[in-house]
Amino acid sequence: TVDLGNRHNGTPGAGVRVNEDLAPREIQILDDNVTLEWFEINGLRDGAALAEVRVIGPSAHNVLLQNLLLHDFFDATVTIDQAGIRLAGSAGKSLTVRNTMIWDGDDLGITGDELGDTLTIENCSVDWMHDVDAIGIATQLRALTIRNTISTSSPGGSFVQNGGSLSGSNNTSSDLAAASFFGNPQTGVAAATLFISSDVPNANLHLKAGANPAVDTGLDLSSSF
């Protein structure tokens, strides 16, 4: 975690940053009961690394990633699908991603993995994965539970079920995907309508004033915290 005096405010450059320095230096979590929070992480390159943060089985139960800023992980020179957050390795992992912003990435914002995993995503924003078939949030073989999450501007789809399943509610997409999987969806909402700024590299994915239909439409998740 980051001490209280050095935490970011939801914008890049405002707190402690882990700079992967345009190299394959991913953060790997292989143990149970790990919380990673309050870091800005950016600069992943090279197909030798699969994600800015990768949660790897067979351990890695009860992992929590929260209050993170993940960005600048697009590498046009590699064919490996790089992600902001990726589950990988043997089945049985469990991960919650919460209050996290992911933008300016390669092929995947957040992706599941094996059938036996658990992945819950709450109060997150994913914007602009660059590849021609890039996806904001993908299931792989896993069932994902997603709430109060915005996914925009990824050419391959905002939310994609490609082997597992999607459930949850109160999610927003720039395409029509949210209506296909979730209760109380908001669809066809452009990033420019929602965010203070989606311009890279210094995007600000806070909701701007008047960002309807997203403002005050979230599900109360206080019982989850």
Side-chain angles (χ1 to χ4, degrees):
T1 190
V2 175
D3 67 284
L4 288 172
N6 290 292
R7 295 178 176 180
H8 64 75
N9 60 10
T11 59
V16 172
R17 180 175 61 149
V18 177
N19 186 351
E20 291 163 326
D21 199 27
L22 307 183
R25 299 187 178 104
E26 65 184 7
I27 293 174
Q28 298 181 356
I29 296 174
L30 297 91
D31 296 315
D32 297 337
N33 306 312
V34 173
T35 295
L36 178 69
E37 61 182 359
W38 288 112
F39 288 93
E40 175 188 353
I41 304 168
N42 73 291
L44 182 76
R45 296 290 190 278
D46 193 311
L50 297 178
E52 291 206 309
V53 180
R54 184 152 60 113
V55 179
I56 304 173
S59 293
H61 305 101
N62 192 35
V63 174
L64 174 62
L65 306 180
Q66 65 180 0
N67 305 319
L68 300 175
L69 304 180
L70 307 178
H71 64 101
D72 185 24
F73 55 96
F74 173 55
D75 192 336
T77 66
V78 302
T79 58
I80 299 296
D81 295 340
Q82 292 177 308
I85 296 171
R86 179 190 293 270
L87 286 168
S90 301
K93 307 170 289 291
S94 58
L95 169 65
T96 297
V97 183
R98 183 179 290 151
N99 297 345
T100 289
M101 299 175 181
I102 304 172
W103 73 93
D104 188 20
D106 193 80
D107 197 71
L108 296 157
I110 304 173
T111 180
D113 185 35
E114 297 288 343
L115 183 62
D117 297 337
T118 300
L119 175 54
T120 300
I121 302 168
E122 297 176 331
N123 297 349
C124 293
S125 296
V126 179
D127 181 59
W128 199 25
M129 302 297 105
H130 288 259
D131 278 355
V132 294
D133 58 353
I135 297 169
I137 298 175
T139 60
Q140 304 304 340
L141 299 178
R142 185 56 252 156
L144 273 59
T145 302
I146 307 175
R147 306 180 184 97
N148 292 357
T149 291
I150 297 170
S151 181
T152 52
S153 307
S154 295
S158 298
F159 301 96
V160 174
Q161 177 183 324
N162 50 4
S165 63
L166 287 162
S167 63
S169 66
N170 298 70
N171 299 307
T172 299
S173 63
S174 55
D175 55 17
L176 300 179
S180 299
F181 306 110
F182 309 117
N184 299 318
Q186 307 287 351
T187 62
V189 187
T193 302
L194 296 169
F195 304 127
I196 291 176
S197 174
S198 57
D199 293 336
V200 296
N202 296 315
N204 183 343
L205 300 192
H206 288 100
L207 295 178
K208 64 183 180 181
N212 296 320
V215 172
D216 294 330
T217 62
L219 184 69
D220 182 357
L221 298 179
S222 58
S223 63
S224 300
F225 287 72

